Amino acid sequence: MTVAVVLFTADLRLHDHPPLRAALKAADEVVPLFVLDPGIHAAGFDSPNRSAFLADCLNDLDASLRRRGGRLLIRNGPVVREVREVAAECGATEVHMAAGVTGYAHRREERLREELRGGGAVLRVHEAVITAVAPGAVTPSGSDHFAVFTPYFRRWSQEPLREPLSAPRTVRVPDGMRGEPLPDRAKAAGASPGLPTGGESAGRDRFSRWTRSGLSSYEDRHDDLAGDATSRLSPYLHFGALSPVELVHRARKHGGPGAEAFVRQLCWRDFHHQVLAARPGASAEDYRTRHDRWRDEEDAAEDIAAWRDGRTGYPVVDAAMRQLRHEGWMHNRARLLVASFLTKTLYVDWRIGARHFLDLLVDGDIVNNQLNWQWVAGTGTDTRPHRVLNPLVQARRFDPDGSYVRRWVPELAGVEGRKVHEPWRLPADRRDALDYPEPVVDLADGLARFKHARGRD
């Protein structure tokens, strides 16, 4: 009996899973493996929200495998060591996995390839599993990646996608393989109370329901803060519980402006992957430096704390930050405006905001989180790096009657209409009764400070 190992990483699904299908084709038996790597904990990336969602994903994946005669093997330890030992225990000749783009993923692949070779096994790395189009598959003339989204989107849209693969009917796993218990969501202490349920089953159900009810209107409603009309699929894409290839195919089959706008958002995800694949240092360093002299973290401590706690005195900013803490998720338009407020209005280093997001976001990852923060901060790929999103303008446009603010800032629930966006303009007696802070900065002062720091005053 020939055996192959499938190392699951950010691809926790059975539908459209090229590594698993290749392993099943190459071997009589397959060991589906997930390694709980203590290095992730040491680096501070296993936040309670992502740990809880991951537990759901792994339990759902195990249940799906058991319905097909298999099971998910869980091991705990350094990933290279555990994969090498599992391959040796089952006599595997091949290990299959999805390609990653981060520096950590590249180092993992290199070490795995070297270690497995010494034991007589081969590492097979599969592209277009975590993304719809593999990083580097489309490049501009004279460069190894696209630095501007629109030309990338044009080329990406012309790239033929492989056909999605169905889930296997049967998965045969060797007997006697030693594994650890599946993680328990309940043990992820500190998870947000409004955190969604993870796993491929939940993700596929959410996408099917949203396709019927929200996809057609997505173009018109995706920026509506109170309408909550986005797909909310980002956590499932982050953990690979859904296939981006399958989502693009299904959206294009659905057709219409809403589907086209949704596909464009999926392309943004691929765009960031191809940027970081070519420039891995951008996870921590400016992609394009503006020679910022950010405010000292100690000097800005009170402003940073107010931003994190949703007490800046700007209701739409505070609503977004409180949504993040409660759900482990935030509306994309809200992400843009709170990031602009921190980096440009408060002039605080984007890395401080990115770290806070990674602490709480269930979909937080190095690729999209860091590069989106850089885009807003003006140190990334934005072609208008000095733009500043005014929170009042954003609030009037995307939460015109204040429903989003009143949902997340209960102190202001009794303030009617758009007045809720400027509580400092209320009569003094009413304002004093709100228990809501004054703005931490005047918007004009913040803008002037930012322009001066960028040499644009």
Side-chain angles (χ1 to χ4, degrees):
M1 299 286 285
T2 55
V3 182
V5 173
V6 177
L7 176 62
F8 285 85
T9 54
D11 51 347
L12 303 179
R13 63 181 186 267
L14 293 187
H15 289 83
D16 193 41
H17 198 284
L20 177 60
R21 293 304 293 265
L24 289 168
K25 184 177 181 179
D28 301 307
E29 295 180 324
V30 169
V31 179
L33 171 66
F34 186 86
V35 179
L36 294 165
D37 187 352
I40 302 296
H41 175 75
F45 291 128
D46 61 340
S47 71
N49 285 337
R50 289 193 296 281
S51 293
F53 199 90
L54 172 64
D56 286 348
C57 289
L58 295 177
N59 279 272
D60 182 71
L61 180 58
D62 179 67
S64 296
L65 285 165
R66 288 183 184 276
R67 288 194 293 271
R68 293 162 171 82
R71 67 185 179 97
L72 180 64
L73 186 71
I74 300 291
R75 296 290 283 262
N76 198 328
V79 62
V80 174
R81 183 192 75 191
E82 294 301 321
V83 174
R84 182 189 64 217
E85 290 184 359
V86 167
E89 290 170 17
C90 67
T93 56
E94 294 183 353
V95 173
H96 295 257
M97 68 179 298
V101 301
T102 64
Y104 170 80
H106 289 156
R107 291 189 297 273
R108 178 179 60 194
E109 290 174 16
E110 291 171 4
R111 292 183 57 211
L112 272 172
R113 187 172 285 107
E114 182 179 343
E115 290 287 333
L116 290 170
R117 187 185 300 118
V122 176
L123 179 67
R124 309 284 189 196
V125 179
H126 299 259
E127 298 283 359
V129 179
I130 295 172
T131 57
V133 173
V138 293
T139 56
S141 176
S143 179
D144 56 358
H145 73 291
F146 279 90
V148 179
F149 174 75
T150 300
Y152 175 76
F153 178 58
R154 286 196 292 264
R155 287 283 301 278
W156 182 92
S157 299
Q158 298 167 3
E159 188 72 5
L161 301 186
R162 60 174 176 77
E163 288 297 317
L165 301 167
S166 60
R169 295 182 178 180
T170 303
V171 180
R172 296 180 56 184
V173 178
D175 294 330
M177 296 298 298
R178 174 184 61 84
E180 303 290 337
L182 287 160
D184 183 356
R185 176 189 176 110
K187 293 182 179 179
S192 295
L195 192 72
T197 300
E200 181 181 18
S201 299
R204 294 184 72 81
D205 178 65
R206 179 180 289 274
F207 179 63
S208 293
R209 287 187 287 109
W210 183 73
T211 299
R212 294 191 297 270
S213 63
L215 182 56
S216 294
S217 60
Y218 180 72
E219 182 185 37
D220 297 327
R221 300 189 61 213
H222 70 276
D223 276 328
D224 179 359
L225 290 170
D228 196 19
T230 65
S231 70
R232 287 182 174 254
L233 295 178
S234 55
Y236 303 94
L237 284 162
H238 169 63
F239 285 92
L242 291 175
S243 158
V245 170
E246 183 180 3
L247 295 191
V248 172
H249 273 286
R250 290 179 64 177
R252 285 174 172 169
K253 183 178 180 180
H254 184 280
E260 292 171 7
F262 177 63
V263 169
R264 186 179 178 89
Q265 292 303 311
L266 293 171
C267 180
W268 265 108
R269 186 172 175 273
D270 279 15
F271 172 75
H272 286 145
H273 275 77
Q274 59 95 39
V275 171
L276 197 66
R279 299 291 185 272
S283 64
E285 302 168 357
D286 289 349
Y287 176 79
R288 289 183 175 129
T289 184
R290 305 297 171 190
H291 304 288
D292 285 296
R293 297 181 298 278
W294 304 106
R295 293 171 66 197
D296 180 84
E297 190 167 359
E298 182 177 349
D299 173 64
E302 290 187 7
D303 287 351
I304 295 170
W307 178 82
R308 286 173 175 159
D309 296 340
R311 299 282 295 173
T312 67
Y314 288 96
V316 73
V317 173
D318 295 340
M321 297 305 292
R322 296 185 195 189
Q323 180 185 26
L324 171 62
R325 191 167 295 279
H326 181 80
E327 294 188 347
W329 184 87
M330 188 192 293
H331 191 288
N332 184 60
R333 171 55 56 176
R335 297 187 198 204
L336 296 176
L337 71 92
V338 302
S340 176
F341 187 82
L342 182 72
T343 59
K344 291 176 174 173
T345 304
L346 296 180
Y347 200 55
V348 170
D349 194 329
W350 65 266
R351 281 159 281 244
I352 293 173
R355 179 70 260 176
H356 182 67
F357 269 32
L358 282 178
D359 286 343
L360 290 174
L361 279 177
V362 64
D363 60 19
D365 64 23
I366 292 296
V367 182
N368 294 291
N369 186 63
Q370 310 302 85
L371 293 184
N372 272 316
W373 268 95
Q374 290 222 50
W375 189 91
V376 176
T379 63
T381 60
D382 187 7
T383 55
R384 294 171 56 197
H386 307 298
R387 82 173 87 198
V388 177
L389 299 182
N390 183 306
L392 295 182
V393 173
Q394 295 285 301
R396 292 171 190 142
R397 183 176 179 185
F398 301 116
D399 187 30
D401 68 355
S403 296
Y404 178 74
V405 164
R406 281 186 288 273
R407 181 183 306 162
W408 293 108
V409 187
E411 307 97 294
L412 303 179
V415 181
E416 61 279 358
R418 61 194 306 167
K419 292 180 182 178
V420 75
H421 296 307
E422 299 177 90
W424 56 87
R425 294 185 181 275
L426 294 171
D429 57 338
R430 191 176 181 193
R431 187 170 66 245
D432 293 342
L434 289 176
D435 186 30
Y436 185 71
E438 293 292 320
V440 295
V441 65
D442 181 270
L443 294 180
D445 292 342
L447 180 60
R449 175 174 54 195
F450 173 70
K451 285 185 174 180
H452 178 72
R454 288 272 173 99
R456 299 179 66 81
D457 52 359

